[in-house]
Amino acid sequence: IAQLMSLIINAVYSNKEVFLRELISNASDALDKIRYQSLNDKDALSAEQDLKIEIIPDTVNKTLTIRDTGIGMTKEELINNLGTVAKSGTKTFMEAIAAGADISMIGQFGVGFYSAYLVSDKVIVRSKNNDDEQFVWESSAGGTFTVRPDTHSPHQMTRGTEITLLLKDDCVSFAEEKTIKEIVKKHSQFVSFPINLFTIKSEEKEIDDSDDEDDDDDDADVDNEEANVEVSEKKEKEKKEKKTETVTTEEWELLNKQKPIWTRNPNDITKEEYVAFYKTISNDWEDYLAVKHFSVEGQLEFSGLLYVPKRAPFDMFEGGSKKKNNIKLFVRRVFIMDDCKEL
């Protein structure tokens, strides 16, 4: 673990955003497990029926929290799953690095939880399993960790796991609403469970000044003629001087509304659904020219969805360093790469 931590912390790794993909994928796996368990145990979901993933950014305190209502972990599972290299793709990743692979391959090994240290100095994990009380796991980026009961904490959960990242100073942008939305749209918008982002909205609203106007009614008869002359001027002034106040509201925003239609039978998908999906992934205002939806079975099984746009990109022949819009590879509905030359 210490070797991995040192590698991740000290690496100059440009694609740090994969940490959010990995943590969301872990949350999705935990939700899958509790849903599967509920097929044989009706009481498995009794503590929390709603299966969801929540993201809570806090730019003031420089934290980012990812919470799920999945199966959760017992004390023993916290120690084994978060403290043992062999429990994740970490071991394979380390072996590849030792053989001379590039660290940029980290996203292909499902290193998962440890990718959190790409952007954070300390990680706090609270977890509640149906078979155990709530425990908290904490570790700074050093390889050692502590696990203790968390029953008296104000952060009590019905079931699931909550991961809080104390972000590095140069990674606070990952707690910004815009950045989170972009990463989720790129990597995790097709995850089968709802991903909700906690947002704070501010808007200006006009204040009703009717009470102030009533106070002046006693003087309404004074200089009546003068008031009539200046009435239009007063109305104009009132329009300009309307008071406003800033109203702040907190709300949850669903980030993954689009469903992965490539997983469905082509016979069950309408033309309108193909068009809507095409416009979502391409940002094109026009319909597509042609679409090919297919599946392959054999040693490898996969489904594919190819679109041909109506018009070529305006900069198609310019070349240069602009990134091409290549075929995107998804595994279990999670975006993995778009530069696979074999495809």
Side-chain angles (χ1 to χ4, degrees), residues 197-221:
L197 175 64
F198 181 74
T199 60
I200 299 176
K201 309 286 187 186
S202 298
E203 61 177 331
E204 296 288 329
K205 285 192 175 180
E206 291 183 0
I207 302 174
D208 187 4
D209 284 344
S210 55
D211 293 338
D212 295 337
E213 290 172 6
D214 291 341
D215 294 340
D216 297 332
D217 285 345
D218 295 337
D219 301 324
D221 294 331

Side-chain angles (χ1 to χ4, degrees), residues 122-309:
K122 183 179 180 181
V123 178
I124 302 170
V125 181
R126 289 184 168 84
S127 199
K128 173 71 174 73
N129 184 281
N130 287 334
D131 299 330
D132 206 346
E133 61 184 18
Q134 182 171 314
F135 282 88
V136 59
W137 180 101
E138 287 187 32
S139 179
S140 296
T144 59
F145 62 89
T146 60
V147 178
R148 65 179 188 276
D150 197 41
T151 51
H152 300 297
S153 164
H155 302 270
Q156 291 301 303
M157 295 182 290
T158 52
R159 187 196 63 245
T161 300
E162 177 186 280
I163 301 175
T164 301
L165 311 180
L166 279 64
L167 298 171
K168 298 176 182 177
D169 290 338
D170 61 342
C171 295
V172 178
S173 61
F174 288 110
E176 294 174 0
E177 182 180 326
K178 181 174 180 255
T179 304
I180 294 170
K181 286 180 177 179
E182 288 173 352
I183 295 173
V184 171
K185 182 178 181 180
K186 178 180 177 181
H187 293 282
S188 308
Q189 67 169 324
F190 301 118
V191 168
S192 53
F193 297 99
I195 302 172
N196 297 306
L197 175 64
F198 181 74
T199 60
I200 299 176
K201 309 286 187 186
S202 298
E203 61 177 331
E204 296 288 329
K205 285 192 175 180
E206 291 183 0
I207 302 174
D208 187 4
D209 284 344
S210 55
D211 293 338
D212 295 337
E213 290 172 6
D214 291 341
D215 294 340
D216 297 332
D217 285 345
D218 295 337
D219 301 324
D221 294 331
V222 181
D223 298 323
N224 194 38
E225 290 182 8
E226 185 181 346
N228 287 335
V229 173
E230 296 177 357
V231 67
S232 59
E233 187 178 334
K234 275 192 174 184
K235 282 183 179 179
E236 194 66 34
K237 193 176 180 182
E238 282 173 6
K239 285 181 183 177
K240 292 179 182 177
E241 294 181 354
K242 277 188 178 179
K243 295 181 180 178
T244 62
E245 65 176 354
T246 303
V247 179
T248 302
T249 56
E250 299 176 348
E251 58 186 51
W252 292 98
E253 183 177 343
L254 180 64
L255 299 185
N256 56 335
K257 299 174 185 176
Q258 184 65 55
K259 302 303 178 186
I261 64 174
W262 70 78
T263 60
R264 294 164 52 190
N265 187 325
N267 297 327
D268 300 333
I269 305 174
T270 64
K271 162 86 172 178
E272 290 72 23
E273 287 178 305
Y274 276 126
V275 170
F277 187 79
Y278 169 71
K279 289 184 177 179
T280 298
I281 63 173
S282 67
N283 295 321
D284 196 348
W285 68 90
E286 290 186 305
D287 293 354
Y288 56 83
L289 179 65
V291 61
K292 181 66 176 176
H293 189 175
F294 61 92
S295 60
V296 175
E297 296 181 2
Q299 284 186 319
L300 290 175
E301 294 185 13
F302 62 91
S303 299
L305 186 59
L306 300 176
Y307 286 102
V308 178

Side-chain angles (χ1 to χ4, degrees), residues 60-75:
V60 176
N61 295 309
K62 300 179 183 178
T63 65
L64 180 65
T65 301
I66 297 93
R67 180 194 300 156
D68 67 71
T69 56
I71 195 165
M73 289 177 279
T74 62
K75 179 182 179 181

